[in-house]
Amino acid sequence: MAKTSTTTQGLRAAIERSGYYPALVAEAVEAAVGGEPIRSYLVHQETTFDQNEVRRHVTVLVLTDHRFIVSHTDEQAADSTSPTPYATTSTESVKLSRISSIVVSRVVANPESYKPGTLPREVVLTIGWGAVSRIDLEPAACGDPNCEADHGYTGNSTADDLSLRVSEAGDGPETVRQALAFAQALSEATADSAR
């Protein structure tokens, strides 16, 4: 899909709908995208509660012909480094060939009566490209309950660069649809880049 004014306007409108510092977020995303065509996008705004404070976070995912762009913007309360509240925004640009895994987890109600095309209740999109890895270790053991030997450790290494959860109840059905569409577009683009 070529970068059309409709695609650009749709991304801009989604950023504005999030209501979260749209001028700041849009400028960061547009600078990262540059002049590349936009194939797909997803905007997700998340509100969390941290003791007495409400914190907001927005994640913008953009797929171009050659790159996957991730933008995060967080707000911070005034602290010892700043007498006024402030926001931090960052963008990361990843070549499509670097994406090593795309996991789409769908939660559906009443699976026994599921009909194809029914919108999931929630979607978790996990994308790995090797920037962040998590290692979970635990002591290894053998089957002998009386064994006192040290068997070392066993564990797993997991690429977990980005995990994003959207739900129909919290984000609305359109955001769930957009998450599924973005995941499919990203999967197709990474398959094309592997050829």
Side-chain angles (χ1 to χ4, degrees):
M1 171 192 300
K3 182 176 183 178
T4 64
S5 60
T6 305
T7 305
T8 302
Q9 289 171 352
L11 174 57
R12 179 71 128 158
I15 290 171
E16 288 177 9
R17 262 194 316 277
S18 79
Y20 185 74
Y21 307 124
L24 173 67
V25 173
E27 181 180 54
V29 170
E30 288 167 6
V33 170
E36 281 194 76
I38 296 173
R39 293 173 68 170
S40 187
Y41 62 86
L42 174 63
V43 177
H44 181 252
Q45 197 261 327
E46 181 179 14
T47 303
T48 57
F49 300 94
D50 183 16
Q51 296 176 5
N52 299 355
E53 297 179 21
V54 176
R55 294 185 187 258
R56 295 180 300 167
H57 175 90
V58 68
T59 302
V60 180
L61 309 179
V62 178
L63 174 63
T64 71
D65 287 339
H66 305 286
R67 298 180 298 146
F68 166 63
I69 297 165
V70 183
S71 175
H72 294 287
T73 305
D74 293 289
E75 66 183 351
Q76 307 293 326
D79 58 22
S80 62
T81 65
S82 176
T84 59
Y86 59 98
T88 304
T89 188
S90 63
T91 57
E92 181 174 2
S93 176
V94 180
K95 288 182 184 179
L96 290 178
S97 61
R98 292 218 25 231
I99 294 179
S100 56
S101 67
I102 301 167
V103 180
V104 180
S105 300
R106 303 165 192 241
V107 177
V108 297
N110 305 313
E112 69 282 354
S113 60
Y114 176 80
K115 291 183 177 39
T118 302
L119 199 60
R121 189 168 65 194
E122 74 179 53
V123 171
V124 178
L125 174 60
T126 305
I127 303 167
W129 59 91
V132 177
S133 292
R134 183 181 69 233
I135 298 177
D136 296 319
L137 295 176
E138 62 183 39
C142 67
D144 181 357
N146 297 319
C147 180
E148 295 180 14
D150 181 355
H151 294 284
Y153 290 88
T154 186
N156 296 311
S157 175
T158 308
D160 197 14
D161 296 310
L162 175 76
S163 190
L164 190 72
R165 178 187 169 269
V166 296
S167 70
E168 189 175 25
D171 303 297
E174 187 53 39
T175 303
V176 173
R177 258 187 222 90
Q178 187 68 35
L180 290 170
F182 183 84
Q184 181 174 349
L186 184 61
S187 290
E188 291 169 358
T190 56
D192 289 345
S193 74
R195 291 181 192 158

